[in-house]
Amino acid sequence: MAVKTLTIDGTLLSAREEQTVLQAARDAGIAIPTLCQLDGLSTVGACRMCLVDIEGTGRLLPACTTRVAEGMVIHTKTERLQSYRRMIVELLFAERNHICAVCVANGACELQDLAIEVGMDHVRFDYLHPECSVDISHKRFGLDHNRCVLCTRCVRACDEVEGAHTWDVAGRGTAARVITDMAQPWGTSETCTSCGKCVQACPTGALFIKGMTVAESRKDRSEIGFLVTAREKKQWVV
Amino acid sequence: MDLNELIELAEKEILGRKPLRIRICTAAGCLSSGAKAVKQAMDAAVQAAGLGEQMEVSEVGCMRLCCEGPLVAVDPENTLYQRVSGDQAASIVASLNGGGPPSATKGDFSQPFFTRQKAIVLENSGLVEPERIESYLAVGGYQALYKCLRELTPAHVVEEITASGLRGRGGAGYPTGVKWGMVAKMPAERKFVVCNADEGDPGAFMDRSVLESDPHRVLEGMAIAAYAIGASQGYIYVRGEYPLAIRRLETGIRQAKRLGLLGSQIFESSFDFKIDLRIGAGAFVCGEETALIHSIEGQRGVPRPRPPYPAESGLWGCPTLINNVETFANVPAIIREGASWFASIGTEKSKGTKVFALAGKIKNTGLVEVPMGTSLREIVETIGGGAPDGGTIKAVQTGGPSGGCIPASLLDTPVDYESLARLGSIMGSGGMIVMDQTTDMVDVAKFFMEFCMDESCGKCIPCRAGTVQLHRLLSKIGSGQGTSHDLATLESLCEMVKHASLCGLGQSAPNPVLSTLAYFREEYVARLRDHAEGNGRASAAQSAAL
Ligand SMILES: Cc1cc2nc3c(=O)[nH]c(=O)nc-3n(C[C@H](O)[C@H](O)[C@H](O)COP(=O)(O)O)c2cc1C
Ligand code: SF4
Ligand code: FES
């Protein structure tokens, strides 16, 4: 196993060559904000929260999809990166109807955590207030498009870990929506196994367990990573 | 098929020509202005005059001056007629048979629009019949492929393309030979060649025209590429909005297969190469190479982060060479004439020619092929004839929604990849839209932003949610409701979207805003609500509205 040495935020560290910059940073206790990444799932580099500045590349790269390389010098918290991250979170809040006070995930929401982390005290952009539907046709779970950030973690959890591929994305741009089967009510889906992995993977209150109160509604987002590690490495570690 | 047979077929085609040949453009531009009816009337007129022995009527491709279509040319004199209608057909035929001058309007092949152009990609366009392979063979078609298979090793072909200095015509200008070399070096068993014919930017129709006018040239270029990199399967990803290009490609592939120029054991060598079409459903983002690959694989057409680049991992994980239509169309000429010939045309870093689709407020709209390094002024003023109806040119937009607006004061800029990028625009695939003094630059920026917003795939947040907000800010400023605070937000959002988006669509979406801000900032400032009263010059749109 080859080892690479690199510098992240001034700290010289080593990483295994197959690791991503994000994994190497986390191993060294350096936190990089993420949203679309979830341990156990493939990475898509979509949310752009984890963008880092790697000297000599001339562009910003997502830490979650970028492999470590020998001698890399990486900055994860420049003023520019911080301002981009804050703007991305603002854009998400403006895009749909994220009203924490009436959200089932209040207090257990990664979007909310990110807003606090990036210091979002107000939103500079117009709230778009789109009309979004809520699908409660499934007997155990619900989908609230108002809260969806299109991270596609549900899509990947269902496809890669459960193997059902009930979820997908339809539509384009800001009109894109996650769908079940052929864009039909979740309750009528023939592929859904009701395993609930999508609900656990969801960072916000978009996917929820019906009948739970805000206080009860704590998701176990490490479940997917736990399952995959158990499967692939035969290690039952949390 | 061997070389002798190929040459025999070419000679037979040339010998079979009748003394007089009437060429009618049947590319999409002229078809839409009635070329089909002209063709029928011409056939009938020849028949009625009993001149079938001396005259032939051929359906050819684009003759470039699309705004004057339907275009008809008559050989051997090479006389051009423009805006020809069906009822003028008989008079043209009669004039060739010793009658008086025809009632059709004569065009002029000696005007600068034609004489200042240099044809490589379009060398056969308007001359060969796109639906007859024999016609392509008559101009030496497929002999470059023969030369590669019989005289050059794959490595030599890559070297030749590298030495020519050819760069990708799909937008980014990546050196073609270097890309071919990378794919060639990959040790994989299966590799693919893909031709990007998605051409989704508004105002661009170069690739469509090449495919409709000279499809075999692209097929031959792809086959040469396949030989060079070691692929046996190719795909052409062509947008569904181009039915004629699709039909002509299908016909071309069928004819080439029948002659053993595509398929198994081409020219009786061990080289196999098959080409299939994949029809896009009209999403701009599917022109982005990784989205295009997903689309061919049958998945949702969304981009993914690179690396890995398709050269390493493309279609079904195999090394894949993706080039633009025009890039492939250059290849047979480079092999035929040699790399040093090609490298002698253009500038130090941009070799060869570039085809532009000239449109907007310009006298001559149509296709223009010029050597790299030609000035914008030469293209729009000399070749394009300047703004019509006594207007003055205000700006030239290159690169479509990913490009920028270059003000008239910079028209002496040579068109090459670096010069355009330095001005905040890009060469792009070749759309060139001319704007006159009545054009409102905030509106232009808003138009392109609306396009990007509608075409954003929605995968990454900066582009998906950012373009919507940019569009709102532009609407707000455009309608006189914006403040200097909004302008500042617009600028910082542009910067973020440009640097944080996942693919080229989002990364370049702010370019039209940034370039109009750089050169026409006063048009933005003049309509801010908190802009000091009194010195507020009425903008073009406001004065137009008054
Ligand atoms: C949003 C977007 C749209 C694109 N559309 C096209 C297109 O329509 N045709 C094309 O050849 N390249 C297009 N490209 C560029 C391709 O990704 C790719 O770079 C090109 O096909 C490579 O060919 P070349 O090296 O011959 O230029 C597009 C890129 C982006 C980001
Ligand atoms: S930049 Fe736009 S088009 Fe490209 S991946 Fe992001 S959302 Fe999709
Ligand atoms: S966590 Fe890396 S892009 Fe979303």
Side-chain angles (χ1 to χ4, degrees), chain B residues 168-170 179 196 198-200 287-289 322-324 327 504-505:
Chain B
R169 303 295 196 235
K179 205 190 254 187
N196 189 342
D198 197 46
E199 196 167 53
E288 195 280 338
E289 55 190 22
I322 301 191
N323 276 131
N324 167 261
T327 313
L505 196 159

Side-chain angles (χ1 to χ4, degrees), chain B residues 443-458:
Chain B
D443 252 10
V444 169
K446 197 177 112 191
F447 168 81
F448 284 114
M449 192 53 69
E450 184 170 354
F451 178 83
C452 290
M453 172 179 84
D454 288 342
E455 295 295 332
S456 164
C457 81

Side-chain angles (χ1 to χ4, degrees), chain B residues 280-303:
Chain B
F284 176 54
V285 73
C286 283
E288 195 280 338
E289 55 190 22
T290 59
L292 186 148
I293 286 171
H294 287 143
S295 182
I296 294 182
E297 289 174 346
Q299 302 187 48
R300 184 174 154 84
V302 290

Side-chain angles (χ1 to χ4, degrees), chain B residues 539-546:
Chain B
S539 69
Q542 283 164 333
S543 41
L546 289 177

Side-chain angles (χ1 to χ4, degrees), chain A residues 22 26 32-38 43-51 61-65 151 156, chain B residues 305 461 502:
Chain A
L22 180 66
R26 282 186 180 163
I32 299 174
T34 56
L35 182 59
C36 64
Q37 186 273 344
L38 184 67
T43 51
V44 288
C47 74
R48 319 304 281 174
M49 285 302 291
C50 71
L51 286 184
L61 290 167
C64 67
T65 63
C151 66
R156 285 172 284 151
Chain B
I461 304 166
L502 191 160

Side-chain angles (χ1 to χ4, degrees), chain A residues 183-194:
Chain A
Q184 65 206 57
W186 193 358
T188 69
S189 160
E190 289 175 11
T191 58
C192 175
T193 61
S194 300

Side-chain angles (χ1 to χ4, degrees), chain A residues 35 44-49 51 59-62 65 80 83-84 87-88 91-92 94-95 124-128 149-150 168-174 176, chain B residues 282-284 300 305-307 309 453-462 464-466 468-469 472-473 476 485 489 492-493 495-496 499-502 507:
Chain A
L35 182 59
V44 288
C47 74
R48 319 304 281 174
M49 285 302 291
L51 286 184
R59 59 188 183 132
L60 305 176
L61 290 167
T65 63
R80 175 174 172 223
S83 78
Y84 287 3
M87 216 181 272
I88 290 172
L91 286 172
L92 279 180
E95 188 182 29
R124 268 166 289 181
F125 308 110
D126 284 355
Y127 285 94
L128 302 179
V149 292
L150 288 173
D168 215 317
V169 180
R172 204 156 65 191
T174 208
Chain B
F284 176 54
R300 184 174 154 84
R306 301 172 306 173
Y309 287 88
M453 172 179 84
D454 288 342
E455 295 295 332
S456 164
C457 81
K459 178 170 178 173
C460 75
I461 304 166
R464 180 184 80 225
V468 181
Q469 297 291 349
R472 285 179 88 92
L473 286 163
K476 195 171 168 190
H485 184 74
T489 310
S492 50
L493 187 54
E495 202 221 74
M496 192 279 283
H499 294 109
S501 290
L502 191 160
Q507 287 160 8

